[in-house]
Amino acid sequence: MSASSSDLSSVKYGYDFVVATTQASINATMKLFLSGLTEPEVTVCYIADDQGKPVEIDYDQLKKLANGSDPFAVAATADPTTDPDLRNLINARFMMGFRAQIGLPPGIAPDKVPDIVTLGSDTSSVVYNLLCSEFTVVELNPGGGYSPPTWLSQSQPPGSPWVFTSKVDLRLSAVDQSAYSRLPVPVQQQIKRLGPGAFSVQQLLFDLDNAALETTPAISGVTPGTTLYMVLEQSFLGAYFAQQKKNGEPLLGCVIQQSGAPTSTLTVTDLDMEVSPFLDGNGRTIVDPTPDQRNLATLSYLCAADGDPLPVAVPFGWNWIEAAEETDCDGVVAINRATLANYFRNRLAGYVATNCYRPSVSVTYDWGSAQTNYAWNMARGQNPTVTTPATGPTVLTFHYDADAADQAGLNGDLGQLELHPSYDVTVTFSGNTITVVQHLVIYLRVQSLATSTSGNVVNVTVTDTYTLAVAQDGRLAATLSTNRQDTSQNPAVDPFLNFWTEVNTIISAVEGWLRNVTSTNLQDIPVSVVQNFVFPGGRTFAFKSAQFSDFGDLVSHITYTDPTS
């Protein structure tokens, strides 16, 4: 039940393409990204209003009010009854603040760093651990009555990270009761970025860290009930979290930057996300998965392209990555067979029309010369019938045929002429090949007096086979082999009959004209038709293969590129 079972064209799914990456690869790549992160520190401070309630104040403005005193520069051992900086801060009504920077906590071996993302059995949410490379909390209580002033300044110690764990709603649909659906449109657009970096760990971190999609985080690494725990709850998870959630902003922001890469052929115009838990051999979710099986669960991006509607998120009946593939790739990109067939339809339509002919014929008898005159023509550029079969290896067909006939005399006894061109193109997907078969047939029938003859004066089949590969940046590559078969007939009659009717002269004239017209148009399909296709995600992933699933979806295995480069 691997990606070879991908069947996105099924009425159950219908997504134009899916990008799926494993929990193990997301965590490994996100940790690599965080290890080199140089995001600015987030500094938030609160002073007391007239009722003694905390209100946020700009950090620089606070220092001005406090005559230059900086709460984050005051020693943890300072005495608030005598320290001049703390006295300045009390006069400025300073209450508390924090300074934090998202990143990997110091003092922890790489293999001991907690996972940032956990994909569980709930397909619509993930568990997210916010990790910080630094985190300092300060609180100044001015005292009063019988209580002396107190001062707290404490930082996350090396080797003992403070972890903030929340559940993040993945549903990026405005029609269901998701956290996303209740956000203002500008905030929705910020979260659901549809540009080239839509599948990057940077964008994923931005989304997971967005307070609007999170439950209130739980704190680990700090003892509940302690002053530090209560200050974190009040300053970081209280007013600050509520404000960020209201504004749809990340708790600790990161800047999203992407390097250059070729533009995808498919333009993402809508997407949603879901968790795809690892399934057993019968396609059922494993109730109690092992750690290895949890790591094989995937985060799946469900994508609509070029303005197509996005179907609702439903669980897949197969695993995107199996255990045997885990060491060689991080996930897959799967293109719906119907989406790819539509790409070929658009690329081939102009060429196909040049081989679709509308015939016209004329047969007249000239009583003055006692001769029958034959005239014919074929106008190219006609519109064929196009079908896109939903199942089987054939994904696209073009068909065109037309008839023209005329005669002279009673029941055609003085001459008859008939032309019937037909043209078919069939596109099939199988294994790692695309096969395009063209078949052009032109049937000719001529009668002069009582002698008639007929046959397929043009009968040519061109078979182009493209063996696929993929470049690292997502460009589809192909090698082309072409086979051309010509079984055209010459329906000439024997010399005795021809002596009386000269039917062979007519046949030769029509046949030569038809071959001259069609030979310049019926060509092999250029390899550029295939090679101009570019997979989505080329700015985030390196692509490793290109293979059709059992149901005709084009699947490429991918690995994350270095997010720090």
Coordinates of all heavy atoms in Angstrom, one line a residue, residues 330-383:
D330 N 12.5 11.6 1.7 CA 11.7 12.2 2.7 C 10.2 12.2 2.5 O 9.5 12.5 3.4 CB 12.2 13.7 2.9 CG 13.6 13.8 3.4 OD1 14.1 12.8 4.0 OD2 14.3 14.8 3.2
G331 N 9.8 12.0 1.2 CA 8.4 12.0 0.9 C 8.2 11.9 -0.6 O 9.1 11.4 -1.3
V332 N 7.0 12.3 -1.0 CA 6.7 12.2 -2.4 C 5.9 13.4 -2.9 O 5.3 14.1 -2.1 CB 5.8 10.9 -2.8 CG1 6.6 9.7 -2.4 CG2 4.5 11.0 -2.0
V333 N 5.9 13.7 -4.2 CA 5.0 14.5 -4.9 C 4.2 13.7 -5.8 O 4.8 13.0 -6.7 CB 5.7 15.7 -5.6 CG1 4.7 16.5 -6.4 CG2 6.5 16.6 -4.6
A334 N 2.9 13.7 -5.8 CA 2.1 12.9 -6.7 C 1.2 13.8 -7.5 O 0.5 14.7 -6.9 CB 1.2 11.9 -5.9
I335 N 1.2 13.7 -8.8 CA 0.4 14.5 -9.7 C -0.8 13.7 -10.2 O -0.6 12.5 -10.7 CB 1.2 15.0 -10.9 CG1 2.5 15.6 -10.5 CG2 0.4 15.9 -11.8 CD1 2.4 16.9 -9.8
N336 N -2.0 14.2 -10.0 CA -3.2 13.5 -10.5 C -3.1 13.2 -12.0 O -2.7 14.1 -12.8 CB -4.4 14.4 -10.2 CG -5.7 13.8 -10.5 OD1 -5.9 13.1 -11.4 ND2 -6.7 14.1 -9.6
R337 N -3.5 12.0 -12.4 CA -3.4 11.6 -13.8 C -4.2 12.6 -14.7 O -3.8 12.9 -15.8 CB -3.8 10.2 -14.0 CG -5.3 9.9 -13.7 CD -5.7 8.5 -13.9 NE -6.1 8.3 -15.3 CZ -6.1 7.2 -16.0 NH1 -5.6 6.1 -15.4 NH2 -6.6 7.1 -17.2
A338 N -5.4 13.0 -14.2 CA -6.2 13.9 -14.9 C -5.6 15.3 -15.1 O -5.7 15.9 -16.2 CB -7.6 14.0 -14.3
T339 N -4.9 15.7 -14.1 CA -4.2 17.0 -14.1 C -3.1 16.9 -15.2 O -2.9 17.9 -16.0 CB -3.6 17.4 -12.8 OG1 -4.7 17.4 -11.8 CG2 -2.9 18.7 -12.8
L340 N -2.3 15.8 -15.2 CA -1.2 15.7 -16.1 C -1.8 15.5 -17.5 O -1.2 16.0 -18.5 CB -0.3 14.5 -15.7 CG 1.0 14.4 -16.5 CD1 1.8 15.7 -16.3 CD2 1.8 13.2 -16.0
A341 N -2.9 14.8 -17.6 CA -3.5 14.6 -19.0 C -4.0 15.9 -19.5 O -3.8 16.2 -20.7 CB -4.7 13.6 -18.8
N342 N -4.5 16.8 -18.7 CA -4.9 18.1 -19.1 C -3.7 18.9 -19.6 O -3.9 19.7 -20.5 CB -5.7 18.8 -18.0 CG -6.3 20.1 -18.5 OD1 -7.2 20.0 -19.4 ND2 -6.0 21.2 -17.8
Y343 N -2.6 18.8 -18.9 CA -1.4 19.4 -19.4 C -1.0 19.0 -20.8 O -0.8 19.8 -21.7 CB -0.2 19.1 -18.4 CG 1.2 19.4 -19.0 CD1 1.6 20.8 -19.0 CD2 2.0 18.5 -19.6 CE1 2.9 21.1 -19.5 CE2 3.2 18.8 -20.1 CZ 3.7 20.1 -20.1 OH 4.9 20.4 -20.6
F344 N -1.1 17.7 -21.1 CA -0.8 17.2 -22.4 C -1.8 17.6 -23.4 O -1.5 17.9 -24.6 CB -0.6 15.7 -22.4 CG 0.8 15.2 -22.0 CD1 1.0 14.8 -20.7 CD2 1.8 15.3 -22.8 CE1 2.2 14.4 -20.2 CE2 3.1 14.9 -22.4 CZ 3.3 14.5 -21.1
R345 N -3.1 17.7 -23.0 CA -4.1 18.1 -23.9 C -3.9 19.5 -24.4 O -4.0 19.8 -25.6 CB -5.5 18.1 -23.1 CG -6.6 18.7 -23.9 CD -7.9 18.6 -23.1 NE -9.0 19.1 -23.9 CZ -10.3 19.0 -23.5 NH1 -10.6 18.3 -22.5 NH2 -11.3 19.5 -24.3
N346 N -3.5 20.4 -23.4 CA -3.2 21.8 -23.8 C -1.9 21.9 -24.7 O -1.9 22.8 -25.6 CB -3.0 22.7 -22.6 CG -4.3 22.8 -21.8 OD1 -5.4 22.7 -22.4 ND2 -4.2 23.0 -20.5
R347 N -0.9 21.1 -24.4 CA 0.3 21.2 -25.2 C 0.1 20.6 -26.6 O 0.8 21.0 -27.5 CB 1.4 20.4 -24.4 CG 1.8 21.0 -23.1 CD 2.6 22.2 -23.3 NE 3.9 21.9 -23.9 CZ 4.8 22.9 -24.2 NH1 4.6 24.1 -24.0 NH2 6.0 22.5 -24.8
L348 N -0.7 19.6 -26.7 CA -0.9 18.9 -28.0 C -2.0 19.5 -28.9 O -2.0 19.2 -30.1 CB -1.1 17.4 -27.8 CG 0.0 16.6 -27.1 CD1 -0.5 15.2 -26.8 CD2 1.2 16.6 -28.0
A349 N -2.9 20.3 -28.3 CA -4.1 20.6 -29.1 C -3.8 21.3 -30.4 O -4.4 21.0 -31.4 CB -4.9 21.6 -28.2
G350 N -2.8 22.3 -30.4 CA -2.5 23.0 -31.6 C -1.9 22.1 -32.7 O -2.3 22.2 -33.9
Y351 N -1.0 21.2 -32.3 CA -0.4 20.3 -33.2 C -1.5 19.3 -33.8 O -1.5 19.0 -35.0 CB 0.7 19.5 -32.6 CG 1.2 18.3 -33.4 CD1 1.9 18.5 -34.5 CD2 0.7 17.0 -33.1 CE1 2.3 17.4 -35.3 CE2 1.1 15.9 -33.8 CZ 1.9 16.1 -35.0 OH 2.3 15.1 -35.7
V352 N -2.3 18.8 -32.9 CA -3.3 17.8 -33.3 C -4.2 18.4 -34.4 O -4.6 17.8 -35.4 CB -4.1 17.3 -32.1 CG1 -5.4 16.5 -32.6 CG2 -3.3 16.4 -31.2
A353 N -4.6 19.7 -34.2 CA -5.6 20.3 -35.1 C -5.0 20.4 -36.5 O -5.7 20.3 -37.5 CB -5.9 21.7 -34.6
T354 N -3.7 20.5 -36.7 CA -3.1 20.5 -38.0 C -3.2 19.2 -38.8 O -3.0 19.2 -40.0 CB -1.6 20.9 -37.9 OG1 -0.9 19.8 -37.3 CG2 -1.4 22.2 -37.2
N355 N -3.6 18.2 -38.1 CA -3.8 16.9 -38.7 C -5.2 16.4 -38.8 O -5.5 15.3 -39.1 CB -2.9 15.8 -38.0 CG -1.4 16.0 -38.3 OD1 -0.9 15.8 -39.4 ND2 -0.7 16.4 -37.2
C356 N -6.1 17.4 -38.5 CA -7.5 17.1 -38.6 C -8.1 17.8 -39.8 O -8.1 19.1 -39.8 CB -8.3 17.6 -37.3 SG -7.8 16.7 -35.8
Y357 N -8.5 17.1 -40.8 CA -8.8 17.6 -42.1 C -10.3 17.5 -42.4 O -10.9 16.4 -42.2 CB -8.0 16.9 -43.2 CG -6.5 17.0 -43.1 CD1 -5.8 16.0 -42.5 CD2 -5.8 18.1 -43.7 CE1 -4.4 16.0 -42.4 CE2 -4.5 18.1 -43.6 CZ -3.8 17.1 -43.0 OH -2.4 17.2 -42.9
R358 N -10.9 18.6 -42.9 CA -12.2 18.6 -43.4 C -12.2 18.5 -44.9 O -11.7 19.4 -45.6 CB -13.0 19.8 -43.0 CG -14.5 19.8 -43.5 CD -15.3 21.0 -43.1 NE -14.8 22.2 -43.9 CZ -14.2 23.2 -43.4 NH1 -13.9 23.3 -42.2 NH2 -13.9 24.3 -44.2
P359 N -12.6 17.4 -45.5 CA -12.4 17.2 -47.0 C -13.6 17.8 -47.8 O -14.7 18.1 -47.2 CB -12.5 15.6 -47.1 CG -13.4 15.2 -46.0 CD -13.2 16.2 -44.9
S360 N -13.3 18.1 -49.0 CA -14.3 18.6 -49.9 C -14.0 18.0 -51.3 O -12.8 18.0 -51.7 CB -14.4 20.1 -50.0 OG -13.2 20.7 -50.4
V361 N -15.0 17.6 -52.0 CA -14.8 17.0 -53.4 C -15.8 17.5 -54.3 O -16.9 17.9 -53.9 CB -14.8 15.4 -53.3 CG1 -13.7 14.9 -52.5 CG2 -16.1 14.9 -52.9
S362 N -15.5 17.4 -55.6 CA -16.5 17.8 -56.6 C -16.2 17.0 -57.9 O -15.1 16.8 -58.3 CB -16.3 19.3 -57.0 OG -17.1 19.7 -58.1
V363 N -17.3 16.5 -58.4 CA -17.3 15.7 -59.6 C -18.3 16.3 -60.6 O -19.5 16.3 -60.3 CB -17.6 14.2 -59.4 CG1 -17.5 13.4 -60.7 CG2 -16.7 13.6 -58.3
T364 N -17.8 16.7 -61.8 CA -18.7 17.4 -62.8 C -18.4 16.8 -64.1 O -17.3 16.3 -64.4 CB -18.5 18.9 -62.8 OG1 -17.1 19.2 -63.1 CG2 -18.9 19.5 -61.5
Y365 N -19.4 16.8 -65.0 CA -19.2 16.3 -66.4 C -19.3 17.4 -67.3 O -20.3 18.2 -67.3 CB -20.3 15.2 -66.7 CG -20.1 14.6 -68.0 CD1 -19.0 13.6 -68.2 CD2 -20.9 14.9 -69.1 CE1 -18.8 13.1 -69.4 CE2 -20.7 14.3 -70.4 CZ -19.6 13.4 -70.5 OH -19.4 12.8 -71.8
D366 N -18.3 17.6 -68.2 CA -18.3 18.6 -69.2 C -18.8 18.0 -70.5 O -18.1 17.2 -71.2 CB -16.8 19.1 -69.4 CG -16.7 20.3 -70.3 OD1 -17.7 20.6 -71.1 OD2 -15.7 21.0 -70.3
W367 N -20.0 18.4 -70.9 CA -20.6 17.9 -72.1 C -19.9 18.3 -73.4 O -19.9 17.6 -74.4 CB -22.1 18.3 -72.2 CG -22.9 17.6 -71.1 CD1 -23.2 18.2 -69.9 CD2 -23.4 16.3 -71.1 NE1 -23.9 17.3 -69.1 CE2 -24.1 16.1 -69.8 CE3 -23.4 15.3 -72.0 CZ2 -24.7 14.9 -69.5 CZ3 -24.1 14.1 -71.7 CH2 -24.7 13.9 -70.4
G368 N -19.3 19.5 -73.3 CA -18.6 19.9 -74.5 C -17.4 19.1 -74.8 O -17.1 18.7 -76.0
S369 N -16.6 18.7 -73.8 CA -15.4 17.9 -74.0 C -15.6 16.4 -73.8 O -14.8 15.6 -74.0 CB -14.3 18.4 -73.1 OG -14.6 18.2 -71.7
A370 N -16.9 16.1 -73.3 CA -17.2 14.8 -72.9 C -16.2 14.2 -71.9 O -15.8 13.0 -72.0 CB -17.3 13.9 -74.2
Q371 N -15.9 15.0 -70.9 CA -15.0 14.5 -69.9 C -15.6 14.8 -68.5 O -16.3 15.7 -68.3 CB -13.6 15.3 -70.0 CG -12.8 14.9 -71.1 CD -11.4 15.5 -71.1 OE1 -11.3 16.6 -70.5 NE2 -10.4 14.9 -71.7
T372 N -15.2 13.9 -67.6 CA -15.6 14.0 -66.2 C -14.4 14.7 -65.4 O -13.2 14.3 -65.6 CB -15.9 12.7 -65.5 OG1 -16.9 12.0 -66.2 CG2 -16.3 12.9 -64.0
N373 N -14.7 15.8 -64.7 CA -13.7 16.5 -64.0 C -13.8 16.2 -62.5 O -14.9 16.3 -61.9 CB -13.8 18.0 -64.2 CG -13.6 18.4 -65.7 OD1 -12.7 17.9 -66.4 ND2 -14.5 19.2 -66.2
Y374 N -12.7 15.9 -61.9 CA -12.6 15.6 -60.5 C -11.8 16.7 -59.8 O -10.7 17.1 -60.2 CB -11.9 14.3 -60.2 CG -12.6 13.1 -60.8 CD1 -12.4 12.8 -62.2 CD2 -13.4 12.3 -60.1 CE1 -13.0 11.7 -62.7 CE2 -14.0 11.2 -60.6 CZ -13.9 10.9 -61.9 OH -14.5 9.8 -62.5
A375 N -12.3 17.2 -58.6 CA -11.6 18.2 -57.8 C -11.7 17.9 -56.4 O -12.7 17.3 -55.9 CB -12.2 19.6 -58.1
W376 N -10.7 18.2 -55.6 CA -10.7 17.8 -54.2 C -9.8 18.8 -53.4 O -9.0 19.5 -53.9 CB -10.1 16.4 -54.0 CG -8.7 16.3 -54.6 CD1 -7.5 16.5 -54.0 CD2 -8.4 16.0 -56.0 NE1 -6.5 16.3 -54.8 CE2 -7.0 16.0 -56.1 CE3 -9.1 15.6 -57.1 CZ2 -6.3 15.7 -57.3 CZ3 -8.5 15.3 -58.3 CH2 -7.1 15.4 -58.4
N377 N -10.1 18.8 -52.1 CA -9.3 19.7 -51.2 C -9.5 19.2 -49.8 O -10.5 18.5 -49.5 CB -9.7 21.1 -51.3 CG -8.7 22.1 -50.7 OD1 -7.6 21.7 -50.3 ND2 -9.0 23.4 -50.6
M378 N -8.6 19.5 -48.9 CA -8.8 19.2 -47.4 C -8.3 20.4 -46.6 O -7.2 20.9 -46.8 CB -8.0 18.0 -47.0 CG -8.5 16.7 -47.6 SD -8.0 15.2 -46.7 CE -6.2 15.4 -46.6
A379 N -9.2 20.9 -45.7 CA -8.8 22.1 -44.9 C -8.4 21.6 -43.5 O -9.2 20.9 -42.8 CB -10.0 23.0 -44.8
R380 N -7.2 21.9 -43.1 CA -6.7 21.4 -41.8 C -7.2 22.4 -40.7 O -7.8 23.5 -41.0 CB -5.2 21.4 -41.8 CG -4.5 22.7 -42.0 CD -3.0 22.5 -41.7 NE -2.4 21.7 -42.7 CZ -1.7 22.1 -43.7 NH1 -1.6 23.5 -43.9 NH2 -1.1 21.3 -44.6
G381 N -6.9 22.1 -39.5 CA -7.2 23.0 -38.4 C -8.6 22.7 -37.8 O -9.2 23.6 -37.1
Q382 N -9.1 21.5 -37.9 CA -10.5 21.2 -37.4 C -10.4 20.8 -35.9 O -9.3 20.4 -35.4 CB -11.1 20.1 -38.2 CG -11.1 20.3 -39.7 CD -11.7 21.7 -40.0 OE1 -12.8 22.0 -39.6 NE2 -11.0 22.5 -40.9
N383 N -11.5 20.8 -35.2 CA -11.5 20.5 -33.8 C -11.9 19.0 -33.5 O -13.0 18.6 -33.9 CB -12.5 21.4 -33.1 CG -12.1 22.8 -33.1 OD1 -11.0 23.2 -33.0 ND2 -13.1 23.7 -33.3

